[in-house]
């Protein structure tokens, strides 16, 4: 039985097929074109986009399905683990993890406060209230928040460059926490966390590497025994260190170096050997204890101490000095970006590792609320800590109860232990900071990028270099700017491939990637691997003209023709097309029409096809030139090329050349078997059996 699969839009195809067959005489059998119908959208049914309708429908359905318990989960994420808490299974690991992180946090908090240019007590305050707030409103169960080195450096960098008294300096640091919290909550409500995706991993790695070097150099003054200029640039720091070399003091250098060596050994053993895993979080506590014991025993006058630390919990106070808020907005935005990158990235990784889902917007809201409420209790900006979160997870933390335990340890330290902190040597706190930031120097990433992607390696070098020599803010801006420039360049110069047919299949692939793929005379098949919009349409048009002019006939099949008659656009990778691209397509159609070249569209998605329909491109080109598959388009175009190429023969020659009945039957049987193998996928990719290459893409007329 003979079946023709032709869409209703292909109203001319039967005529085309018949006319082509009759012009070829008995040498070509009547072979109707077999194509899959393309469903054209109905633009009169609705004026809105189907995608928008689908999104709205899913959103309303989700709201209707939401139960009261799920609403509570949304606004109080802690309710998720409270109602499913397994006391016998979770309580002990949560207590151990909280105790471990709390012991680690106390000395780190004081160290990071010194790095931020604040009194150590404000580091303890930052590690107190925000932890409890996040345990209630944060969605991650293993993330350990509090003061971190990078945010502390950012606070020091912006406030250190201003001529401020100690009291005003502290007030502005607390105001920064309030502003950062407000920005994080706004981004959570508007679901703007996706903006951070434009900061590439190479920018983050280069930035953190340079920042780690700056942080380590800024702590050198506690090792060397003399003051070093406060700066986020490497050149002033090195100059200051060299110029003050005559003031060098051996006791703090020896003591700080010994404590640093102990920290590094304990960290290495804790990471490399499971039986010594407890040594990693115990490192900062050990450093503080050893340093304090040494000072109490020998009373060295050349080693500076932390000094008096107020005892008791922080009191409630509203942030002040809002007249400075405008000048702090850029820094608050930068801290917010760093906080999101560091916290949300760590939280997602830990959630995936522990088998639960994490909402980025809820995570931002939890961080923002922790900073806002923390600022009411004298905290400076806090965020998730990579090192403490890793320790928390490795210690077996199951829920947010571990964070509550760590906050309780901090509260007990504020109430009872602050008199002991008076004798902690500052070189010991500096050693804790240096030990923590050494892990941020990511030279392995630079080596990896050099081998994998030179462009990302250049971006890493640019970001790290500008951060080191021009400062943190400029380094981030330059890194993000160059990263966006790369994105724009890639988008404005998309990858465009000329497709050819893989032998023995109906699959069309890039002829550069698959040299064995062959093309057809008179036809160019092009795939555009990007959305088409105003920034790249000129590049696309230029490339299409090049493909039309640059025709390699050596690898082509089909009837011999002198020029291109058809341009087939494979549009499956194109997810979006704007008005500028639509107008350019109209111009391109008119240009090709004047040169007797027809444009064919293959496999456009629903949104793109709807845009083309609304713009009149479908009617302009003609529905008969829209196809589901590239192969369908090639079949139709080849029939046109064949009809253009055929010339009538002398009637006498038909009688002379007419094959016998048995020859025709044998030839037809060979063609049908070969094409049946092709359709079933059993045909091997070898040299085709067809004696007439231009017949190869035509599918069997038998079903």
């Amino acid at each position: 039985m003979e079946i023709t699969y032709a869409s209703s839009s292909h109203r001319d195809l039967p005529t085309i097929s018949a006319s082509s067959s009759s012009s070829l005489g008995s040498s070509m059998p009547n072979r109707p074109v077999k194509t899959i119908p393309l469903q054209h959208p109905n633009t009169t049914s609705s004026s809105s986009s189907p995608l928008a309708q689908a999104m709205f429908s899913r959103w309303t359905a989700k709201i209707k399905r939401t139960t009261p318990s799920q609403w509570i989960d949304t606004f109080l994420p802690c309710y998720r683990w409270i109602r499913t808490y397994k006391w016998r299974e979770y309580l002990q690991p949560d207590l151990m993890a909280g105790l471990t992180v709390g012991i680690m946090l106390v000395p780190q908090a004081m160290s990071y406060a010194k790095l931020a240019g604040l009194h150590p007590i404000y580091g303890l305050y930052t590690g107190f209230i925000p932890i409890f707030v996040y345990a209630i409103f944060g969605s991650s169960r293993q993330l350990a928040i509090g003061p971190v080195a990078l945010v502390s450096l950012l606070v020091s960098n912006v406030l250190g460059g201003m001529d401020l008294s100690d009291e005003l300096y502290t007030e502005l640091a607390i105001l920064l926490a309030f502003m950062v919290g407000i920005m994080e909550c706004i981004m959570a409500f508007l679901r703007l966390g996706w903006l951070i995706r434009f900061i590439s991993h190479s920018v983050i790695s280069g930035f953190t590497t340079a920042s780690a070097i700056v942080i380590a150099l800024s702590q050198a003054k506690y090792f060397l025994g003399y003051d070093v200029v406060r700066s986020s640039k490497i050149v002033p720091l090195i100059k200051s260190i060299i110029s003050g070399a005559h003031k060098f003091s051996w006791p703090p250098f020896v003591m700080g170096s010994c404590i640093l060596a102990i920290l590094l050994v304990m960290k290495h053993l804790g990471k490399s050997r499971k039986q010594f895993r407890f040594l990693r979080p115990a490192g900062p506590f050990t450093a503080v204890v050893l340093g304090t014991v040494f000072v109490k025993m020998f009373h060295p006058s050349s080693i500076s101490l932390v000094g008096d630390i107020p005892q008791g919990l922080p009191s409630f106070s509203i942030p002040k000095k809002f007249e400075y808020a405008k000048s702090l907005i850029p820094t608050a935005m930068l801290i917010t970006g760093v906080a999101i990158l560091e916290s949300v990235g760590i939280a997602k990784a830990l959630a995936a590792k522990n088998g639960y889902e994490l909402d980025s917007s809820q995570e931002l809201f939890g961080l923002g609320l922790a900073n806002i409420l923390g600022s009411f209790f004298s905290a400076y900006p806090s965020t998730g800590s990579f090192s403490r979160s890793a320790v928390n997870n490795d210690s077996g933390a199951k829920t947010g109860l571990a964070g509550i335990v760590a906050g309780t340890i901090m509260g007990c330290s504020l109430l009872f232990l602050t008199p002991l902190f008076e004798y902690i040597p500052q070189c010991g706190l500096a050693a804790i900071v240096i030990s923590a930031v050494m892990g941020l120097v990511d030279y392995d990433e630079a080596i990896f990028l050099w081998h994998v992607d030179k462009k990302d390696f250049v971006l890493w070098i640019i970001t790290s270099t500008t951060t080191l020599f021009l400062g943190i803010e400029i380094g981030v801006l330059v890194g993000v700017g160059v990263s966006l420039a790369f994105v724009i360049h890639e988008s404005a110069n998309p990858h465009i491939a000329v497709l050819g047919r893989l032998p023995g299949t109906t699959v069309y692939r890039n002829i550069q990637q698959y040299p064995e793929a062959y093309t057809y005379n008179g036809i160019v098949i092009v795939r555009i691997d990007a959305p088409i919009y105003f920034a790249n349409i000129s590049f696309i048009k230029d490339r299409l003209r090049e493909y039309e002019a640059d025709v390699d006939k050596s690898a082509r099949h089909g009837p011999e023709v002198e020029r291109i008659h058809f341009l087939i656009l494979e549009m499956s990778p194109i997810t979006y097309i704007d008005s500028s691209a639509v107008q350019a397509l109209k111009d391109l159609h008119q240009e090709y029409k004047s040169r007797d070249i027809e444009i064919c569209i293959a496999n456009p998605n629903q949104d793109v096809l709807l845009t083309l329909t609304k713009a009149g491109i479908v009617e302009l080109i003609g529905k008969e030139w829209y196809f589901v598959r590239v192969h369908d388009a090639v079949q139709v175009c080849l029939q046109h090329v064949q009809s253009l190429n055929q010339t009538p023969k002398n009637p006498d020659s038909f009688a002379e050349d007419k094959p016998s009945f048995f020859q025709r039957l044998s030839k037809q049987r060979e063609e049908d078997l070969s094409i049946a193998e092709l359709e079933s996928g059993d045909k091997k990719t070898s040299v085709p059996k067809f004696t007439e290459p231009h017949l190869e893409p035509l599918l069997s007329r038998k079903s």
Side-chain angles (χ1 to χ4, degrees), residues 110-117 148-150 152-153 156 215 218-219 433:
M110 292 188 288
S111 303
Y112 293 149
K114 294 293 292 182
L115 175 61
V148 297
L150 198 52
S152 299
L153 177 64
S156 173
I215 291 171
S218 68
Q219 297 299 295
V433 173

Side-chain angles (χ1 to χ4, degrees), residues 471-501:
I472 291 175
E473 289 89 348
I474 296 177
V476 170
L477 290 176
V478 170
V480 172
V482 175
S483 180
L484 289 176
F486 283 157
V487 171
I488 294 171
H489 179 268
E490 291 295 327
S491 179
N493 299 273
H495 178 261
I496 302 177
V498 175
L499 305 184
R501 181 179 172 186

Side-chain angles (χ1 to χ4, degrees), residues 4-10 13-14 33-37:
T4 301
Y5 289 85
S7 67
S8 57
S9 63
H10 300 161
L13 297 187
V33 175
K34 181 179 180 181
T35 60
I36 302 172

Side-chain angles (χ1 to χ4, degrees), residues 15-184:
T15 306
I16 293 169
S17 178
S19 61
S20 301
S21 300
S22 61
S23 65
L24 293 175
S26 61
S27 63
M28 177 180 175
N30 186 8
R31 303 173 63 81
V33 175
K34 181 179 180 181
T35 60
I36 302 172
L38 176 66
Q39 298 296 326
H40 289 274
N42 184 6
T43 58
T44 60
S45 60
S46 175
S47 59
S48 60
S49 169
L51 180 61
Q53 289 180 346
M55 290 179 63
F56 181 76
S57 299
R58 286 196 299 268
W59 183 69
T60 53
K62 184 177 180 180
I63 291 179
K64 291 178 181 179
R65 291 195 307 266
T66 303
T67 63
S69 177
Q70 290 173 331
W71 282 115
I72 297 175
D73 287 348
T74 300
F75 294 103
L76 288 174
C78 63
Y79 181 67
R80 300 172 190 170
W81 56 264
I82 289 176
R83 60 186 169 87
T84 59
Y85 197 83
K86 301 176 182 178
W87 291 94
R88 293 185 177 180
E89 184 178 346
Y90 291 170
L91 184 59
Q92 183 178 355
D94 277 344
L95 290 176
M96 291 301 299
L99 182 64
T100 302
V101 172
I103 293 173
M104 183 180 183
L105 174 60
V106 172
Q108 276 194 348
M110 292 188 288
S111 303
Y112 293 149
K114 294 293 292 182
L115 175 61
L118 297 166
H119 192 279
I121 190 63
Y122 293 102
L124 299 177
Y125 291 162
T126 305
F128 180 51
I129 293 297
I131 291 182
F132 290 101
V133 176
Y134 181 82
I136 298 172
F137 295 98
S139 55
S140 176
R141 302 173 190 178
Q142 285 80 28
L143 186 69
I145 76 163
V148 297
L150 198 52
V151 172
S152 299
L153 177 64
L154 292 171
V155 172
S156 173
N157 179 57
V158 63
L159 299 182
M162 304 167 68
D163 188 13
L164 305 171
S165 63
D166 291 342
E167 183 180 356
L168 182 57
Y169 188 103
T170 302
E171 289 290 346
L172 294 186
I174 295 170
L175 178 60
L176 263 177
F178 180 80
M179 294 174 64
V180 168
I182 293 293
M183 289 183 180
E184 288 174 338

Side-chain angles (χ1 to χ4, degrees), residues 47 62 129 136 138 267 320 364 374 396 453 511 551 576 637 692:
S47 59
K62 184 177 180 180
I129 293 297
I136 298 172
K267 180 189 286 188
K320 306 172 185 176
L364 279 177
D453 192 338
I511 60 175
V551 178
Y576 169 74
C637 294
E692 299 177 73

